[in-house]
Structure formats: structure tokens, C-alpha cells
């Protein structure tokens, strides 16, 4: 019989709807039930494409005896971290403080007042490698609750007081200058892996936000070291197993230092960020590899993550049916030599050599993850194209990984920015149209009549959870990119609505610090606040970037001031932990450069010369530049006001702080002005 999760819209929660555990969704009613019964709360947090979440569910939450013990002694609450990042953030902070590490599934035991007192992540069904079994943990917590309640309450109170003392107060500091950004670059150089690309050891995550900083720093200063780290890291990732060599798109991370074996789940946010990174790398270097990867990643998002309503789904699972009914991580993506022979016949040896498929394998059970050789030019390009096409066709006959169909506002904002820019750079209007469709969905379904965002939707129905700071910031970022690409000022207007909420509801009016939840959001044991990047730009840094861009478009001083105050945290943290505040560093580069404000005017919407100037402006590498495009009589953008044609010809005006150079009608002159 289904439990209370059967009425939820989250794919992750629905995966647990038939568990024998009497799950509750996160709600006041769940904690009231714990008070009524005088039992602790088990909080289990995960997400639909999380491999170890599936493992623990199968081992423990589907087990009748474990479920019976839980149902008798606990109130069990299941949370989708992607729908409630605020709940996840608050308790993950406690987990990391107590254990020194975190991850999902996250397992936390709470009092009926939602105060945490015992923590963990994955627990096995039997003791393993020094880890207690999940049943042992449950019995120990139950015994402590029953026999040492006063001690439990003391621990919970101490943890809550400790969390309350962690509030960040960097918002009133000055924004970083040349010195801090140079120190951040030096810090990244120390952590850089020159043999393999990327930063640090295994597991290796794609450092998309750090690469954006490196590209912007190179554009502003000419630093060849910054460009080399960005270029080499992108090449190693693109040639490794973390990149899908057949279908495009990136897996979540590499379990090894060489980018060979990925954790196979594919997330919308990773692919949106990396699509934009590779497009910007091409813009800086002209790399054909970067161009191909940007376009293939964009095509992957549109092909495999588009929803019927026009948005983009959250993720593809790592696991899939291996053909025997057993779900195995990576089964959809890996190949053995025998599978190549069955798919390709006489071309199998060529494919094995090209993609690095060996008898020993690079993954498990003799299977290999496909990689790209360093010198693919020695292979016949037409033969390789046919081999790739045939392998992709054969792979599509395999059982596909599950898809998390919920639309997350923030991640769709990232996808809108990536697809709009990639489409504009490479003459792909279909990609721009996909970005517009996603933006239309967000306005139609996620935005209410007060311009307040709902975080998620599914199957055309808005979810119940309010948007958090990253939703407002990333959607605004997407709308601003779309405004620059399309020349439609309505997207600038919508971005302004969202950013007004950031100023009014997410910002401390005295210090300028930012919070992840609005002032009128549900009260948790702590109001979450984190300026550091994780898998996506922090809401704090993303808001700073969107506020800065909006101010460049409109001259809005409150938005500029708020952006500069928010960047104070980057001054404090950038030189110390640059890997974890990459987007903040990228925004700081834009601020130091201006950012530049570009107005392109033409006599009519489809004027060819005006379009050439517009595309030239978009291809400029000046960090964070904003572009307004329209006709001479347009009132779509403030930057277009009082911008006449020059000698009857389309013209581009390049300004900083609304002080402009002489306008130009020459694309080559504009290119020179917009490069560095």
C-alpha cells in the first residue's frame, strides 16, 4: 500500500512511495506527529539520480523488518534535496561539522523541534569496514532517546546554537581588486594538476565556474597561464570518459584523477555550465574541439532533457538495466570488445583502438568507458563518423537510464543562458528557440503575479516549494543572456522583477549579506547562507553577477551597490579557497572590467550589417559585457536611448560606467575594442 509520498510530484519521493516505511514529506504535520508520539524524526535526504540513495533504499527502506522498526520507533521524513535545497543545506552543514564530510543519502536524526542530534550518510545493511549497520544505528538512537533523553536534548541544543553562530558577515567588505584576483590565480596554480588538468585529486569534478574565472582573467589581463589551465582542463575532460563520446554531454564527476571513469549520472546543471564554458573557450581560442563539445552538449540537453512543456528535466540516472533485469551503474554507456564486434563487425578493431576499449577494460567486468585519443587526426574521419553513428544507434537499443523529469528553475536559468549564447555564436537559431521556450515556461508556470518564483514544476504543474536565492539569480542570469542575444527587452524587464526580490527579500539591508532563503520563507533551525560554489554557482555569487549585469544595462545604482557589497565575500575567500568561489571571482573580473555596455543600433530589425555588429559584440571576450540590440527608434533597452545611426549606417557604442567611446560602424574595429 503506498505511503504519504504517493501524492507528491518529486520523482525522488515517488520512488519511495511504495516502501513499507511510513514516509512523510517534510511538513509541520510530520513533526507534530513526532511530538504526539514522543519519538525522534529520521530525516533522509537524497535525489532521484543518486546511486547510493538507490542502494540504501533497496537494502534498508524496502526491507520489511527495517521498516517495521522505523515505523514503531520513529517518524520518517523523506526530502528531495533538489526541491528543498534549504532543508538540505541546513542539515548538511550540521553533518559536515560533526563528521568532517557529507554526501547523499544524508541521514539525520532530529528531535520533534527539528533539532539534529545524530548524523550520517549511507549506512549499510550489515556492519562493513568500520561502519555500523543501519539497524544498529536505529537501535542505538532509539535507546539513547529512551534512556538518555536529557543528554540527547543537550546535544541537539548545542548543535543548534553552534549553527546559529555561523552567520556570514562579509557583505559589507570591499569588492576584490587586482591583488586579490592575482592571489586567487596563484592559489589555483598551486592546486592545478598539470599532467591531467583540473584541480586536486580524485574524485575530480568539472571546475566550470573556475574555468569561467580563468577565461575572464585571461581576457582582462592577458595571462597565458590562466588560459592554459582553462584550455588544458577542458581538453582533458573532453577526451576523457567523463564526456559522452557518442551522445555528447558530461557525467557528474570522475572517480579517478585522469577523467577516465565517471559517476555516470548526467545533470542538467553540469551540462548547462559546461556548454557555456566550452562556447566561451571557443570564443577565446577558436578551438575546434571546444566548438564541437559546446554544440554536442547543447544538442544533448535539447534531445535528452527537453520536456513537453518546453523546459529541461533535471537529470539522467547513473544506473540502468544491463539487459538481465539488474540495474547497474554505467550499463548504458560502457562497451566490451565483444560488444563492439557484435555492433560493428570488421570495424570493431578500429573502434577499440580509437575509443580505448581493451580486453582488460577501464571500468568493471572487462568493460571500458569510451575515450578520445590525443591524436585523432591519424584516423580516417569519415570512417570514425560512421562508427560513432552506428555505436550510438546500437546504444539506443539498450534500456535507457531513468530520467528525473522535474523542472528546476535555477538549472533552467543556467540552460537558457548556455543555449542562447551557443546558438548565437554558432548560427544555431534552433538552440536560441529552445532557450526562449524554456524561458516562456518559467514565466508562464514558475512566476506568479507578484514575480515570485516557484522552484520546481513537473508535467506542467507548479510545485509547492518557493524559489530560493539561486533560483532568482540564475533565472535572472538566463533572462539577461536571452535579452542580449534576442534583442527582446522583455527579458531584461523580467530579470529586473526577479532582482528586485533579491534586494527586498534575500539581502540584509545593513551589511549587504545575502541569504539563501527569503525573509518570509519557512523558518528552519537556521536561515541558510553559503557564498561558496558547489555543483552550481552559489546563490550569493550568482546574484552578484546578475545584479551587476542588470545595473550595466539600466544604470540602476541600488543593483550595482548591492553587487559590490556582495562581492566583499569574494575578497575574503577568493585568495584562500579560489576553487570554491569561482563564479564570484568571475563576477569580480567583470566588475574590474566595467563591465562594458554595448549598444548596437540598426535602421530595421533584419538589417544585415546591424546583425553582423550584434554578433561581433556577443563574441567579444570582455568579461561580463552586456549587449543591447535594436533599431534606432527602439525603447526596448535603456542602452539604446539616444543612439543614432552613424552616417546612416548601423553603429555600435561601447561604454563603461555609461561613458562611451566614439561609435563605430566597422565590425573589425568593434572586435578589437571588445577583445580584452
Amino acid at each position: 500500500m503506498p505511503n504519504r509520498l504517493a501524492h507528491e510530484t518529486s520523482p525522488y519521493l515517488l520512488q519511495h512511495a511504495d516502501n513499507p516505511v511510513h514516509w512523510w514529506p517534510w511538513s509541520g504535520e510530520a513533526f507534530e506527529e513526532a511530538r504526539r508520539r514522543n519519538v525522534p524524526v529520521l530525516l533522509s535526504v537524497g535525489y532521484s539520480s543518486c546511486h547510493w540513495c538507490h542502494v540504501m533504499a533497496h537494502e534498508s527502506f524496502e526491507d520489511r523488518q527495517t521498516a517495521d522498526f522505523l515505523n514503531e520507533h520513529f517518524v520518517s521524513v523523506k526530502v528531495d534535496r533538489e526541491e528543498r535545497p534549504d532543508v538540505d543545506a541546513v542539515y548538511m552543514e550540521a553533518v559536515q561539522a560533526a563528521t568532517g564530510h557529507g554526501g547523499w543519502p544524508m541521514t539525520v536524526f532530529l528531535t520533534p523541534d527539528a533539532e539534529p542530534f545524530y548524523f550520517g550518510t549511507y549506512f549499510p545493511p550489515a556492519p562493513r569496514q568500520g561502519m555500523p549497520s543501519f539497524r544498529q544505528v536505529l537501535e542505538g538512537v532509539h535507546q539513547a532517546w529512551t534512556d538518555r533523553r536529557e543528554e540527547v536534548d543537550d546535544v541537539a541544543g548545542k548543535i543548534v546554537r553552534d549553527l546559529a553562530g555561523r552567520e556570514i558577515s562579509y557583505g559589507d567588505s570591499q569588492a576584490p581588486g587586482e591583488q586579490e584576483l592575482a592571489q586567487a590565480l596563484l592559489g589555483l596554480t598551486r592546486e592545478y594538476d598539470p599532467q591531467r588538468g583540473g584541480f586536486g585529486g580524485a574524485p575530480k569534478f568539472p571546475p566550470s565556474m573556475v574555468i569561467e574565472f580563468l577565461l575572464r582573467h585571461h581576457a582582462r589581463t592577458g595571462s597565458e597561464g590562466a588560459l592554459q589551465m582553462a584550455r588544458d582542463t577542458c581538453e582533458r575532460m573532453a577526451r576523457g570518459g567523463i564526456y559522452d563520446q557518442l551522445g555528447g554531454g558530461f557525467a557528474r564527476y570522475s572517480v579517478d584523477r585522469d577523467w577516465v571513469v565517471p559517476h555516470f549520472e548526467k545533470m542538467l546543471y553540469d551540462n548547462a555550465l559546461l556548454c557555456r564554458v566550452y562556447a566561451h573557450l571557443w570564443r577565446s581560442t577558436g578551438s575546434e574541439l571546444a566548438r564541437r563539445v559546446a554544440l554536442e552538449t547543447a544538442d544533448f540537453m535539447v534531445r535528452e532533457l527537453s520536456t513537453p512543456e518546453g523546459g529541461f528535466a533535471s537529470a539522467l540516472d547513473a544506473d540502468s538495466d544491463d539487459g538481465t533485469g539488474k540495474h547497474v551503474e554505467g550499463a548504458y554507456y560502457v562497451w566490451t570488445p565483444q560488444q563492439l564486434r557484435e555492433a560493428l563487425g570488421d570495424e570493431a578493431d578500429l573502434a577499440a583502438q580509437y575509443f580505448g576499449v581493451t580486453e582488460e577494460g577501464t571500468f568493471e567486468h572487462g568493460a571500458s568507458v569510451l575515450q578520445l585519443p590525443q591524436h585523432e587526426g591519424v584516423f580516417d574521419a569519415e570512417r570514425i563518423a560512421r562508427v560513432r553513428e552506428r555505436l550510438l544507434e546500437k546504444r539506443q537499443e539498450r534500456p535507457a537510464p531513468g530520467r528525473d523529469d522535474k523542472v528546476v528553475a535555477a538549472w533552467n536559468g543556467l540552460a537558457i543562458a548556455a543555449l542562447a549564447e551557443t546558438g548565437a555564436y554558432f548560427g544555431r537559431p534552433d538552440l536560441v528557440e529552445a532557450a526562449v521556450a524554456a524561458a516562456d515556461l518559467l514565466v508562464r508556470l514558475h512566476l506568479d503575479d507578484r514575480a515570485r518564483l516557484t522552484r520546481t514544476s513537473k508535467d506542467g504543474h507548479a510545485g509547492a516549494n518557493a524559489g530560493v536565492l539561486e533560483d532568482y539569480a540564475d533565472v535572472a542570469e538566463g533572462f539577461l543572456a536571452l535579452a542580449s542575444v534576442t534583442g527582446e527587452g522583455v527579458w531584461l524587464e523580467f530579470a529586473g522583477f526577479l532582482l528586485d526580490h533579491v534586494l527586498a527579500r534575500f539581502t540584509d539591508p545593513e551589511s549587504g549579506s545575502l541569504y539563501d532563503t527569503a525573509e518570509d520563507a519557512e523558518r528552519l533551525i537556521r536561515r541558510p547562507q553559503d557564498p561558496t560554489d558547489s555543483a552550481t554557482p552559489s546563490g550569493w555569487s550568482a546574484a552578484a553577477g546578475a545584479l551587476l549585469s542588470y545595473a550595466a544595462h539600466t544604470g540602476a545604482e541600488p543593483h550595482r551597490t548591492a553587487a559590490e557589497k556582495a562581492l566583499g565575500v569574494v575578497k575574503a575567500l577568493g585568495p584562500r579557497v579560489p576553487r570554491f568561489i569561482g563564479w564570484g571571482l568571475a563576477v569580480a573580473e567583470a566588475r574590474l572590467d566595467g563591465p562594458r555596455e554595448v549598444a548596437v543600433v540598426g535602421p530595421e530589425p533584419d538589417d544585415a550589417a546591424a546583425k553582423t555588429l550584434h554578433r561581433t559584440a556577443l563574441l567579444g571576450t570582455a568579461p561580463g559585457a552586456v549587449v543591447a540590440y535594436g533599431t534606432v527608434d527602439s525603447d526596448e533597452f535603456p542602452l539604446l536611448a539616444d543612439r543614432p545611426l552613424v552616417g546612416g549606417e548601423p553603429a555600435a557604442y561601447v561604454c563603461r560606467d555609461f561613458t562611451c567611446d566614439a561609435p563605430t560602424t566597422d565590425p573589425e574595429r568593434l572586435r578589437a575594442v571588445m577583445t580584452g
Side-chain angles (χ1 to χ4, degrees):
M1 180 178 178
N3 54 47
R4 292 174 183 83
L5 302 184
H7 303 293
E8 297 297 308
T9 58
S10 159
Y12 177 63
L13 298 188
L14 290 172
Q15 289 170 359
H16 295 268
D18 292 317
N19 290 168
V21 177
H22 296 166
W23 290 113
W24 293 70
W26 178 273
S27 61
E29 292 80 4
F31 289 94
E32 184 57 40
E33 175 69 5
R35 288 189 197 94
R36 186 187 69 80
R37 291 175 50 198
N38 191 27
V39 296
V41 172
L42 164 70
L43 173 64
S44 177
V45 183
Y47 57 103
S48 71
S49 56
C50 165
H51 172 72
W52 287 103
C53 299
H54 295 313
V55 172
M56 189 167 177
H58 177 67
E59 293 174 341
S60 296
F61 301 141
E62 296 173 11
D63 177 70
R64 172 60 65 177
Q65 288 185 326
T66 301
D68 288 344
F69 191 89
L70 273 170
N71 297 336
E72 181 178 356
H73 300 294
F74 298 86
V75 168
S76 300
V77 174
K78 178 64 74 171
V79 167
D80 182 343
R81 66 174 294 262
E82 296 174 347
E83 287 204 332
R84 291 300 304 263
D86 52 339
V87 173
D88 176 64
V90 165
Y91 292 104
M92 182 61 74
E93 185 175 12
V95 171
Q96 291 173 330
T99 68
H101 64 275
W104 299 275
M106 177 168 62
T107 307
V108 186
F109 294 90
L110 314 175
T111 71
D113 293 325
E115 297 179 338
F117 62 88
Y118 189 79
F119 317 89
T121 52
Y122 164 78
F123 289 105
R128 183 189 308 165
Q129 297 176 341
M131 295 174 62
S133 71
F134 187 49
R135 181 60 180 266
Q136 288 174 326
V137 170
L138 295 179
E139 291 173 349
V141 170
H142 168 62
Q143 183 178 19
W145 182 265
T146 303
D147 299 338
R148 304 193 304 277
R149 178 64 181 276
E150 185 175 342
E151 180 182 336
V152 168
D153 289 340
D154 286 345
V155 169
K158 182 179 183 301
I159 290 169
V160 171
R161 289 191 297 273
D162 177 65
L163 292 175
R166 292 168 175 253
E167 187 159 321
I168 297 167
S169 58
Y170 293 126
D172 57 353
S173 302
Q174 292 183 339
E178 295 277 1
Q179 180 179 353
E180 288 81 16
L181 295 180
Q183 289 173 335
L185 179 65
L186 180 61
L188 289 171
T189 302
R190 293 192 185 108
E191 296 188 68
Y192 181 64
D193 183 342
Q195 281 75 45
R196 307 167 184 87
F199 301 88
K204 265 187 177 169
F205 290 80
S208 52
M209 293 152 279
V210 167
I211 294 173
E212 287 284 2
F213 161 62
L214 294 172
L215 290 174
R216 289 186 179 190
H217 189 78
H218 166 72
R220 188 179 62 82
T221 69
S223 168
E224 287 301 320
L227 180 61
Q228 182 179 350
M229 285 191 286
R231 182 177 56 226
D232 291 355
T233 297
C234 284
E235 179 166 352
R236 291 303 298 263
M237 290 192 300
R239 294 185 180 280
I242 193 173
Y243 184 67
D244 184 347
Q245 303 296 341
L246 299 183
F250 288 85
R252 179 71 194 91
Y253 61 84
S254 173
V255 301
D256 59 275
R257 298 181 66 179
D258 292 299
W259 309 105
V260 175
V261 178
H263 183 44
F264 289 90
E265 61 185 342
K266 284 182 170 181
M267 313 301 293
L268 173 62
Y269 52 74
D270 284 319
N271 284 284
L273 290 165
L274 288 164
C275 175
R276 203 177 187 190
V277 160
Y278 280 87
H280 290 173
L281 178 63
W282 171 83
R283 185 174 66 177
S284 295
T285 66
S287 163
E288 179 56 33
L289 178 65
R291 177 185 184 277
R292 179 174 65 79
V293 171
L295 286 169
E296 288 178 355
T297 303
D299 287 337
F300 156 75
M301 288 191 287
V302 173
R303 183 182 67 248
E304 298 193 35
L305 295 178
S306 291
T307 69
E309 297 76 29
F312 293 95
S314 295
L316 298 179
D317 286 356
D319 304 357
S320 59
D321 191 326
D322 66 355
T324 68
K326 182 180 179 182
H327 271 64
V328 176
E329 184 178 4
Y332 187 70
Y333 299 101
V334 298
W335 297 81
T336 64
Q338 178 60 31
Q339 288 172 325
L340 291 183
R341 287 189 287 270
E342 292 170 356
L344 299 172
D346 292 342
E347 300 278 36
D349 289 343
L350 171 68
Q353 184 181 4
Y354 185 79
F355 289 116
V357 177
T358 65
E359 292 292 341
E360 298 79 13
T362 57
F363 185 50
E364 298 172 350
H365 311 299
S368 293
V369 184
L370 302 190
Q371 301 176 71
L372 192 67
Q374 292 292 321
H375 305 291
E376 69 264 35
V378 301
F379 294 87
D380 182 273
E382 291 186 7
R383 287 182 68 193
I384 291 298
R386 289 195 301 269
V387 163
R388 290 182 68 182
E389 182 178 359
R390 179 60 178 156
L391 287 178
L392 184 59
E393 290 174 356
K394 293 298 292 184
R395 192 177 79 176
Q396 289 169 342
E397 296 174 5
R398 298 174 173 178
R403 190 172 89 155
D404 183 335
D405 282 333
K406 72 175 178 294
V407 172
V408 176
W411 307 346
N412 274 254
L414 297 175
I416 289 165
L419 292 171
E421 292 182 354
T422 303
Y425 295 171
F426 301 118
R428 287 282 302 275
D430 59 310
L431 298 180
V432 179
E433 290 167 7
V436 171
D440 283 340
L441 174 69
L442 293 180
V443 171
R444 185 174 73 251
L445 196 59
H446 287 245
L447 207 60
D448 69 12
D449 57 3
R450 295 181 296 169
R452 295 192 177 207
L453 272 173
T454 296
R455 179 159 173 84
T456 63
S457 67
K458 186 176 181 294
D459 300 328
H461 301 286
N465 298 310
V468 295
L469 179 60
E470 71 162 351
D471 293 305
Y472 284 84
D474 288 337
V475 172
E477 175 79 13
F479 287 174
L480 290 166
L482 202 56
S484 287
V485 165
T486 64
E488 295 177 3
V490 65
W491 301 117
L492 176 64
E493 185 177 359
F494 278 126
F497 294 154
L498 298 175
L499 294 172
D500 285 344
H501 279 293
V502 170
L503 295 182
R505 299 171 57 228
F506 292 87
T507 306
D508 185 315
E510 294 184 4
S511 70
S513 296
L514 293 164
Y515 292 92
D516 292 333
T517 54
E519 63 179 5
D520 53 355
E522 176 188 351
R523 292 300 179 204
L524 303 174
I525 60 169
R526 161 175 160 77
R527 191 177 179 189
Q529 182 187 43
D530 187 357
T532 58
D533 298 329
S534 181
T536 57
S538 70
W540 187 313
S541 292
L547 288 164
L548 187 69
S549 295
Y550 184 77
H553 264 294
T554 63
E557 188 57 37
H559 297 74
R560 174 84 184 197
T561 299
E564 292 184 340
K565 282 189 173 183
L567 287 173
V569 75
V570 182
K571 180 176 182 178
L573 298 181
R576 291 159 41 197
V577 287
R579 282 175 58 193
F580 303 103
I581 201 160
W583 190 250
L585 292 167
V587 175
E589 287 287 347
R591 174 190 166 273
L592 280 184
D593 196 67
R596 298 181 211 191
E597 310 126 8
V598 187
V600 177
V601 293
E604 56 189 31
D606 293 326
D607 183 85
K611 284 186 173 182
T612 298
L613 286 174
H614 180 215
R615 184 170 183 270
T616 301
L618 293 173
L619 290 174
T621 57
V626 301
V627 179
Y629 171 63
T631 57
V632 69
D633 57 351
S634 172
D635 59 358
E636 294 266 346
F637 294 91
L639 287 177
L640 297 178
D642 302 320
R643 305 295 189 201
L645 303 179
V646 174
E649 296 294 323
Y653 295 77
V654 180
C655 316
R656 296 191 203 192
D657 296 325
F658 295 88
T659 300
C660 304
D661 296 336
T664 182
T665 61
D666 180 6
E668 290 304 317
R669 170 61 183 158
L670 177 60
R671 181 175 293 109
V673 171
M674 290 298 296
T675 302

